[in-house]
Amino acid sequence: MIKQLSTMASAAALMLSAPANAALIERSFVVTGFYSSGPLSTLNIAINISFDNSKDIESTRNGFSVISDLPDHDLKYAYRSLNDLLLIGTNVSPAAAEVSSAKNDLAFLIFGASTASARPSSISYSTSSGKIYNSGSVKLVSTDLTSAVPEPATWAMMILGFGMVGAAARRRRQHVGVSFS
């Protein structure tokens, strides 16, 4: 009986432990662009973002907050789930993030946005005079903001493990007597 129960429990744990494909991603990025010319030598952009990586997201500000050295740029984001690509800028769509010389624009991409190996593209911005500046190099510092709540499969395996430890502790052990003659 116990052998059957442990076999069924092991099978259930294996079925429940399938990895999740889609998740609500909460990330914090600090992106710094370095410029050899223009009004800024560095441009810092701090971003807090929350998005669902299972679908494409049109241009939006939902779940998005930003602090930038260029406060007059009204930033939005779009997300392309197929490439795990986050597009950030004033003119964004799931197809592109563009910088126009006609107004104050800013745009950059973050490749692998929902992974630990996220990497940014160069940061481009334009000033009110219409001049466009591209960063020579970019540095990204990311901090995951995901909560420390395990997935349901992890909870199931943890509860199953505690149950098996409890069952093993409760099981009667036969007393073995030792006699010395």
Side-chain angles (χ1 to χ4, degrees):
M1 172 76 174
I2 292 192
K3 196 172 201 176
Q4 289 175 335
L5 215 94
S6 66
T7 304
M8 289 189 318
S10 299
L14 286 174
M15 286 189 290
L16 290 174
S17 64
N21 292 332
L24 180 66
I25 304 296
E26 295 182 20
R27 301 293 301 266
S28 176
F29 297 107
V30 177
V31 183
T32 304
F34 301 94
Y35 299 86
S36 58
S37 65
L40 300 172
S41 60
T42 60
L43 172 60
N44 295 301
I45 304 169
I47 299 165
N48 289 322
I49 189 165
S50 174
F51 63 95
D52 181 359
N53 72 344
S54 67
K55 59 185 177 186
D56 286 355
I57 299 172
E58 298 293 324
S59 178
T60 185
R61 285 185 200 91
N62 292 338
F64 183 66
S65 66
V66 63
I67 300 171
S68 169
D69 290 343
L70 296 173
D72 55 343
H73 289 74
D74 187 26
L75 299 178
K76 297 175 262 187
Y77 78 95
Y79 179 73
R80 193 174 318 152
S81 61
L82 181 64
N83 306 40
D84 195 19
L85 180 64
L86 191 61
L87 302 96
I88 299 171
T90 49
N91 294 318
V92 294
S93 70
E98 302 172 330
V99 172
S100 163
S101 61
K103 56 185 172 187
N104 288 341
D105 278 351
L106 184 136
F108 65 98
L109 311 173
I110 296 179
F111 301 94
S114 62
T115 66
S117 60
R119 60 193 190 289
S121 69
S122 69
I123 304 172
S124 300
Y125 74 93
S126 66
T127 60
S128 56
S129 67
K131 180 123 169 110
I132 297 176
Y133 299 96
N134 295 311
S135 64
S137 62
V138 181
K139 179 177 126 184
L140 175 82
V141 177
S142 98
T143 307
D144 287 335
L145 297 176
T146 55
S147 62
V149 177
E151 291 187 25
T154 306
W155 278 106
M157 289 192 324
M158 185 172 60
I159 291 169
L160 182 67
F162 282 130
M164 291 176 81
V165 168
R170 276 183 64 98
R171 191 172 67 170
R172 286 184 176 232
R173 292 193 171 85
Q174 293 180 357
H175 183 67
V176 178
V178 177
S179 64
F180 297 99
S181 17

